[in-house]
Amino acid sequence: MPALPTRRSSLCLSCAANAAARPRPRPRPRPLLPYVHVARRTAVANPGFKNLSFDRNPISLPGGKFNSIKSFQPARGRQGSPIFGVVRAQLEQLRNEFAEPEFLESLSLTREAFDEEWLSFERSISVWIRTASVELRTLLGDYGRGTKRLQARLRYLFYAQACGGRYTQAELDNQKEVADLRFPSEWYPATREICRTVHLHVGPTNSGKTYQALKRLEEAESGIYLGPLRLLAHEVYTRLNAKGKPCALVTGEEQRLPEGEHKMWSCTVEMAPLNTRMDVAVIDEIQMINHVDRGWAWTQAFLGLQAKEIHLCGEARTVPLIRELCALIGDKVHVHEYERLTPLRVANRSLGGKLDRLEKGDCIVSFSVLGIHALRKEIEKKTGRKCAIVYGSLPPETRAQQARLFNDLDNDYDFLVASDAIGMGLNLSIKRVIFESTWKNNGTKLVPLQISEIKQIAGRAGRYKTAGEAIAQDEAQRSASEAVADPVIGIDDTPQVTSENTAIGYATTLDQIEFSGLKKGMEREAEIITTAGLFPPSLIVERFANYFPPGTPFSYIMLRLHEITNIHPRFHLCALKDQLAIADAVHLIRNLSIQDRIMLCSAPSNMKDPGEKAFLKELALCIAENKSGELLDVPNLPLEILDETPSADRDYLRKLESLHKMLVLYLWLSFRFPNVFTSRKLTNHVTKLVEEKIEHTLGHFSFTERARAGMLKMRKRAIRQSEKSEETDKSLPNVGVVIADDTPRAVRDILSDTRSFSDDTTAPSDDIHEYPTPELEELESNEVEERAEEDAVEEKSGERATKVSPQVDELTKKGPLHIERPDATQPRI
C-alpha cells in the first residue's frame, strides 16, 4: 500500500518545540539479517510479479470468474468486474459502520478528516486489488463460502492506516522494546528458583504412559493434573477422589471444591495455577504445545508450574523440543519410552457404507453431535441392537452411564458412536475404530484430519482390557473402607498384558472413498515438533497498550503487538482470531480497562452468532458500569426458548445451542468478575435444563440414507478440490500484499499479517463445532441432490454434463440456478 501521512504527534507543545529545535539523529542502518525471528506471517510480494498470469487457477465468484491480472481494475477502472464488485460491497459496509459519530469520536476523527482518510484508503485498496495476490484470491474464495474474513481484513487495513502513522520514533522504539518476547522463561522468576526434574513419558496410544504419570501423582502429597479437555479433567478428578485424595476440579466454566483442605487439582491446561507450590504435576498431551491456537497454554504450564516433578505425557516427536526447553531453563530431564501394548492394524477394507456390517465392540467416530445422534438412530434401525454415545459436551452423569453400558459385555449395547474426544486418552473397550470421515468441518469448511489426529483416534482400538477390569483391580488393591471409583472410563490403565486379554485393534472407514486417506495417514509419520506456542501475557499486553492514544481500537493494539513481536526460533506466536472479533464487538463500550478487555477477549464466545454478540455486549456493559449482572436482568438472553414445545426443527436446535453457549459464557465470566455476575447457581440449573432439551431434540432427529449420501458427495468434492489446489500451489508463487517502500513501519507490520485471519484451525476441545455443522445444514435443500447427480455424471464423462435431472430442470425453468449456503450473508453479485 502507498505511504500514509503522519496524523499527529503524541508529544505536548513544549516537548514538540524542544524536539523540533534539536537536530534529528541520522537513522541507523538496518542490519542485513535479523538476529531473531519476527512474527510476520507472509513475505512482501515480489515487485516483478505484475506480468504474471493466473489463467491456471481462476477464481470462482458469484458473478463470474477471474482469469487474468487484467481483470483487476482500480476504483475508476472497470467497475463492472466481479472482484471489484465484491470488494466494493464490503468497503461500503465498513464505511457506513465507521462513519457513525460514536465511532469517529473513538478514533478522534472529524467527519472531514475521515472522508480524506477513507479516500486515501480506497486508493490503497485499488492498488491491492491490482496486485492479484494469493491472499486476496484466498479471501475471495472464502467469501463465496459465507465467511467474513475479507471484511475483517479490510477492517484492520483501515485501522493500520488510521492509527499506524500517529507514532513518533520514540514511541515505535518503546513498542518494540515491550514486544521483545525472546526470553519467556524469565516471566516466571519464582519457578526458576526451584530445581525441577522433568519426566517425559512418550509412546503411542494404549502404551500405559499416562497411567505411570498418574500413579506418581497419586503417591504425592500435593499435585495437579492438566489436560486438554474438560472430559479428561473430570475423569481424573473422579479418580483421585475415589482413591481418597481430596481433589478440586477447575475448568473455564466449572469449579468443584471439596470440603475441607485439599492439595490436589484437576484442571484444563488453560487454568493452571502458576503461583502454587506442589510436589508433582502431570501435563497430558504435551504434543499440543505446538498447536497453532492453544499451544501457549502448554508452554505456560510447562515453564511456570512450581512443582518439583513435572511429568509430561505425549508423542515421541516432542522429545527434541522438550530437551531444548529443559536445557534453556536448567531443568533435569528423563525420557521414558513406551511401546504399544496391543497391535494396531488397518483393516483390509471399509464397511462400504453398510451399517449392518458392524460388529460387537465397534466404535464409529463422528465430528458433530448431530452426526453422532443421527448415526445412533440409523444403527439401531439397521441392526436391531442398541448403541451408546460419548462426546465431550455430554453431561458427566449421562456420559458415565453411556460408557458403562458400552463397556459391560453382558447387555445389548454392542456399538459406540463417539466424537474425536476419545482420541485424547480415554480408555473404552473398543475392538475396532471406524471413521465416519477423515475430513472434519472446522466451522468454515471441510479440512482433512492431521496425521497425529488419525493415529490418536485409531489408537483407541484394541484396548487390552475393559475399564471395568481396571476398576476391579483398583478395588482389590484398596481397603474396604475406601470409596469405590465410578466404573466408567479409565485413562491408560495398568500396563499388564496377558494372553487372555491381548487383542488386535483395527481401524477402518465407513465409506470406501475415505479408506485410502486413512491408510496413507496410518503409514506416515507425523512431523517432529520444533516450536512451542507462545502468547504475550496480560501484563505485557497492558503495558504495550499504554503506548497508544485513548480510543485506539484494542483489536489493532493486539494485532500490532502480534506482528512486531520478536521471538526465539524455538517458539511461535499463537494466532489471533476470536480475540480480534471480540475486541471489535466491545470497542465502543467505554470505561472498560485494558485488563477488562484482555479478559473479555479470552471469553468463549462466537462472534459469528448475532445473538451471542449482543449478549456479550450486555455483559461487557455490566462490567464497564459496575451494575447488576443478575442472569434474569441481562437483556438479549433468549430464555423463552425453554417454554417452546420441543421439535426436531433445525432452527429450534440452533436456538438451544446458542442459549447454551450464552450460559457457558456467563459462567465463565462469573469466575472472573464474581462481584458483577452473581447468579452462578441459577445459571448452572438453567444450563442443565438446556442440555436436557438438546439431548431430547437430538434423540428425535431423523437421519436418512439420502442425507448420508449427500455428505459423502460433499466430502468427495472436498477431496478433489484439495488435490487441485495442491497442484496449483506448486505452480504459483505465494505473493502477498504489495507494500510501498515508504510505507510507515507500523503499517507494514499489519499489512504483512494473514494468519490472524485464518479459519483453518481445529483446536481439540469438548464442544467446539460438535453441534449442527454446515454440511448437515446444507443437506436440507434440494440443491444437494442436484450436486450429487452432477458429480455422478462428471465421474463417468470427465466433464460437467449438460443433461440434468427433472428436479434441477424444474428449478432452472424458474430462473438462473444460484446455489448458496443456507447461512450465507453475502450479497448476490
Side-chain angles (χ1 to χ4, degrees):
M1 294 181 66
L4 304 174
T6 301
R7 292 189 45 78
R8 64 175 177 81
S9 173
S10 62
L11 301 177
C12 65
L13 294 178
S14 177
C15 294
N18 294 335
R22 293 195 303 266
R24 294 185 179 180
R26 298 181 62 183
R28 293 176 293 178
R30 296 181 60 183
L32 296 178
L33 293 175
Y35 61 98
V36 293
H37 281 195
V38 178
R40 190 171 296 112
R41 303 308 180 196
T42 56
V44 178
N46 183 357
F49 78 98
K50 292 186 177 180
N51 296 325
L52 181 64
S53 174
F54 292 93
D55 294 336
R56 292 169 292 178
N57 188 28
I59 299 177
S60 298
L61 289 172
K65 291 186 176 181
F66 162 70
N67 291 315
S68 171
I69 189 65
K70 296 179 181 180
S71 300
F72 274 121
Q73 297 295 334
R76 297 184 180 180
R78 295 183 184 177
Q79 297 193 7
S81 66
I83 294 194
F84 173 82
V86 170
V87 178
R88 184 67 184 176
Q90 298 299 306
L91 287 175
E92 285 298 324
Q93 293 183 20
L94 288 177
R95 180 185 175 89
N96 295 335
E97 177 184 344
F98 294 158
E100 293 293 330
E102 191 176 5
F103 192 90
L104 293 179
E105 182 182 355
S106 69
L107 293 182
S108 301
L109 288 175
T110 63
R111 184 53 189 259
E112 293 75 16
F114 169 76
D115 291 339
E116 182 180 352
E117 198 78 66
W118 188 262
L119 180 61
S120 176
F121 177 64
E122 284 190 331
R123 291 170 180 168
S124 301
I125 294 301
S126 297
V127 175
W128 185 40
I129 293 177
R130 286 200 299 269
T131 64
S133 67
V134 170
E135 178 199 7
L136 178 58
R137 297 189 297 125
T138 302
L139 292 173
L140 289 168
D142 290 342
Y143 171 84
R145 289 192 292 267
T147 68
K148 296 184 178 181
R149 289 179 58 202
L150 175 60
Q151 187 181 93
R153 186 66 167 137
L154 294 173
R155 175 189 298 275
Y156 299 123
L157 290 177
F158 178 77
Y159 285 169
Q161 173 163 317
C163 305
R166 296 183 176 187
Y167 316 116
T168 64
Q169 186 60 44
E171 288 174 327
L172 293 175
D173 292 340
N174 289 333
Q175 292 177 13
K176 293 180 181 179
E177 181 180 354
V178 176
D180 187 353
L181 307 182
R182 289 173 295 164
F183 310 106
S185 60
E186 298 180 358
W187 299 344
Y188 315 100
T191 306
R192 299 288 77 83
E193 296 176 357
I194 302 174
C195 183
R196 305 192 310 176
T197 301
V198 176
H199 294 271
L200 182 55
H201 305 268
V202 296
T205 53
N206 190 19
S207 60
K209 56 184 183 295
T210 309
Y211 167 81
Q212 296 294 341
L214 289 177
K215 290 299 290 183
R216 180 65 187 95
L217 178 62
E218 294 169 5
E219 297 169 358
E221 182 179 352
S222 61
I224 187 172
Y225 169 84
L226 299 174
L229 306 177
R230 288 184 291 114
L231 187 153
L232 289 176
H234 187 275
E235 295 304 329
V236 175
Y237 160 79
T238 304
R239 183 188 187 118
L240 291 175
N241 280 291
K243 291 181 178 291
K245 306 285 289 189
C247 179
L249 175 67
V250 180
T251 67
E253 57 273 3
E254 183 181 14
Q255 292 187 13
R256 298 186 185 182
L257 303 179
E259 296 181 0
E261 184 181 4
H262 69 277
K263 297 183 179 180
M264 289 287 180
W265 293 266
S266 182
C267 314
T268 48
V269 68
E270 287 86 355
M271 303 301 297
L274 302 181
N275 298 320
T276 303
R277 293 213 172 193
M278 58 193 71
D279 296 328
V280 176
V282 176
I283 305 177
D284 208 357
E285 305 297 341
I286 189 59
Q287 71 275 0
M288 290 189 66
I289 197 172
N290 182 247
H291 197 275
V292 65
D293 281 332
R294 300 179 65 196
W296 64 270
W298 276 262
T299 304
Q300 172 186 271
F302 174 68
L303 296 178
L305 280 176
Q306 299 182 27
K308 299 176 183 178
E309 289 185 27
I310 304 288
H311 291 260
L312 309 177
C313 307
E315 300 175 13
R317 58 196 182 107
T318 60
V319 173
L321 176 64
I322 297 301
R323 285 188 182 275
E324 291 180 3
L325 293 178
C326 289
L328 174 68
I329 59 182
D331 289 346
K332 299 178 182 178
V333 59
H334 301 281
V335 179
H336 308 275
E337 297 182 356
Y338 300 81
E339 297 293 334
R340 184 176 169 85
L341 301 175
T342 58
L344 177 63
R345 301 174 185 172
V346 178
N348 295 329
R349 62 177 183 176
S350 71
L351 299 189
K354 298 180 179 180
L355 296 175
D356 52 9
R357 292 181 177 177
L358 290 172
E359 302 174 0
K360 187 176 181 64
D362 282 351
C363 172
I364 299 184
V365 178
S366 181
F367 300 110
S368 72
V369 170
L370 196 59
I372 289 173
H373 283 268
L375 277 173
R376 180 186 66 172
K377 194 167 186 177
E378 189 71 8
I379 289 171
E380 291 179 346
K381 177 182 177 182
K382 286 290 183 67
T383 64
R385 290 180 282 181
K386 295 183 180 180
C387 181
I389 56 174
V390 169
Y391 53 90
S393 56
L394 199 66
E397 295 77 12
T398 306
R399 185 176 64 237
Q401 178 192 24
Q402 292 291 310
R404 187 184 301 110
L405 291 172
F406 177 72
N407 283 332
D408 188 356
L409 301 179
D410 297 330
N411 58 30
D412 297 332
Y413 285 80
D414 294 345
F415 314 118
L416 174 69
V417 182
S419 69
D420 54 338
I422 67 167
M424 285 294 166
L426 298 181
N427 181 14
L428 292 158
S429 181
I430 298 172
K431 175 183 177 182
R432 182 172 59 171
V433 168
I434 301 167
F435 287 80
E436 183 199 17
S437 174
T438 56
W439 288 67
K440 181 178 180 180
N441 192 292
N442 66 355
T444 303
K445 60 183 178 181
L446 288 173
V447 295
L449 295 176
Q450 299 178 5
I451 295 175
S452 60
E453 291 177 319
I454 291 177
K455 290 193 171 184
Q456 274 196 327
I457 297 172
R460 296 301 119 193
R463 306 301 291 183
Y464 69 97
K465 67 176 182 179
T466 68
E469 293 170 336
I471 295 299
Q473 179 176 348
D474 289 340
E475 290 177 350
Q477 297 175 351
R478 192 185 309 124
S479 63
S481 60
E482 293 179 319
V484 178
D486 188 15
V488 286
I489 303 176
I491 301 181
D492 277 349
D493 291 286
T494 308
Q496 298 177 359
V497 183
T498 66
S499 58
E500 296 180 354
N501 55 31
T502 300
I504 299 176
Y506 289 95
T508 185
T509 59
L510 182 59
D511 298 297
Q512 185 62 33
I513 186 65
E514 311 278 357
F515 189 71
S516 60
L518 173 64
K519 289 191 66 176
K520 292 178 181 178
M522 293 294 291
E523 292 171 357
R524 296 175 181 174
E525 292 294 332
E527 297 181 356
I528 297 295
I529 292 177
T530 57
T531 61
L534 205 64
F535 200 83
S538 60
L539 291 178
I540 291 180
V541 177
E542 185 175 15
R543 182 182 172 193
F544 186 79
N546 290 331
Y547 289 107
F548 292 81
T552 303
F554 189 65
S555 59
Y556 170 75
I557 295 175
M558 296 180 66
L559 192 57
R560 170 73 176 157
L561 173 61
H562 197 255
E563 288 308 313
I564 70 172
T565 293
N566 286 345
I567 57 175
H568 193 278
R570 198 175 283 112
F571 300 93
H572 71 267
L573 272 182
C574 291
L576 290 169
K577 186 175 58 177
D578 298 333
Q579 296 95 325
L580 299 179
I582 295 175
D584 286 329
V586 300
H587 169 62
L588 296 179
I589 298 179
R590 300 182 179 181
N591 300 327
L592 283 175
S593 66
I594 297 299
Q595 279 292 344
D596 293 340
R597 295 184 185 274
I598 293 173
M599 193 66 69
L600 287 170
C601 287
S602 302
S605 183
N606 178 20
M607 292 296 97
K608 296 179 181 179
D609 187 330
E612 292 184 50
K613 186 175 182 179
F615 183 66
L616 176 64
K617 288 183 179 180
E618 294 296 339
L619 297 180
L621 278 173
C622 293
I623 298 171
E625 300 175 3
N626 196 25
K627 63 180 182 180
S628 172
E630 291 286 340
L631 181 67
L632 300 180
D633 295 335
V634 180
N636 298 319
L637 184 63
L639 293 174
E640 62 275 4
I641 187 68
L642 294 174
D643 296 329
E644 295 185 13
T645 303
S647 68
D649 184 65
R650 299 295 176 78
D651 187 58
Y652 176 76
L653 189 59
R654 277 193 293 265
K655 291 179 181 178
L656 285 176
E657 179 200 4
S658 179
L659 175 58
H660 185 270
K661 291 183 177 180
M662 293 180 192
L663 295 171
V664 169
L665 173 62
Y666 185 95
L667 286 172
W668 191 90
L669 289 173
S670 70
F671 290 107
R672 279 77 180 173
F673 303 94
N675 296 328
V676 177
F677 307 109
T678 57
S679 304
R680 192 179 303 161
K681 290 184 179 180
L682 175 61
T683 307
N684 280 318
H685 175 69
V686 177
T687 302
K688 291 182 180 179
L689 294 178
V690 176
E691 289 173 349
E692 292 174 359
K693 289 269 189 179
I694 291 176
E695 292 301 315
H696 176 79
T697 304
L698 289 173
H700 289 76
F701 171 66
S702 178
F703 188 69
T704 63
E705 286 194 16
R706 188 189 70 174
R708 194 155 60 84
M711 291 176 63
L712 178 61
K713 292 295 182 181
M714 294 176 65
R715 293 197 292 267
K716 290 175 66 176
R717 185 182 299 108
I719 293 173
R720 289 199 303 267
Q721 291 177 351
S722 176
E723 294 173 350
K724 292 179 181 179
S725 63
E726 288 179 0
E727 296 176 358
T728 304
D729 291 341
K730 295 178 181 179
S731 59
L732 291 178
N734 185 15
V735 290
V737 184
V738 173
I739 306 175
D741 294 335
D742 54 351
T743 302
R745 180 66 181 183
V747 182
R748 280 175 169 271
D749 296 321
I750 300 298
L751 299 184
S752 299
D753 174 74
T754 56
R755 186 172 178 178
S756 294
F757 309 97
S758 175
D759 291 324
D760 299 336
T761 56
T762 53
S765 184
D766 289 305
D767 50 8
I768 291 182
H769 310 313
E770 281 191 345
Y771 288 112
T773 51
E775 72 261 25
L776 285 175
E777 297 295 333
E778 195 169 3
L779 293 175
E780 288 293 308
S781 65
N782 292 329
E783 297 158 354
V784 174
E785 295 183 15
E786 179 234 348
R787 290 184 182 183
E789 293 186 15
E790 289 180 342
D791 288 339
V793 176
E794 184 180 8
E795 289 179 1
K796 295 180 180 180
S797 62
E799 59 183 5
R800 181 66 65 185
T802 57
K803 187 176 180 180
V804 296
S805 64
Q807 294 90 341
V808 177
D809 185 56
E810 184 67 25
L811 287 173
T812 54
K813 290 179 181 179
K814 300 178 182 179
L817 185 63
H818 182 74
I819 300 176
E820 290 182 319
R821 296 168 59 95
D823 58 345
T825 57
Q826 70 273 17
R828 291 181 59 174
I829 306 298

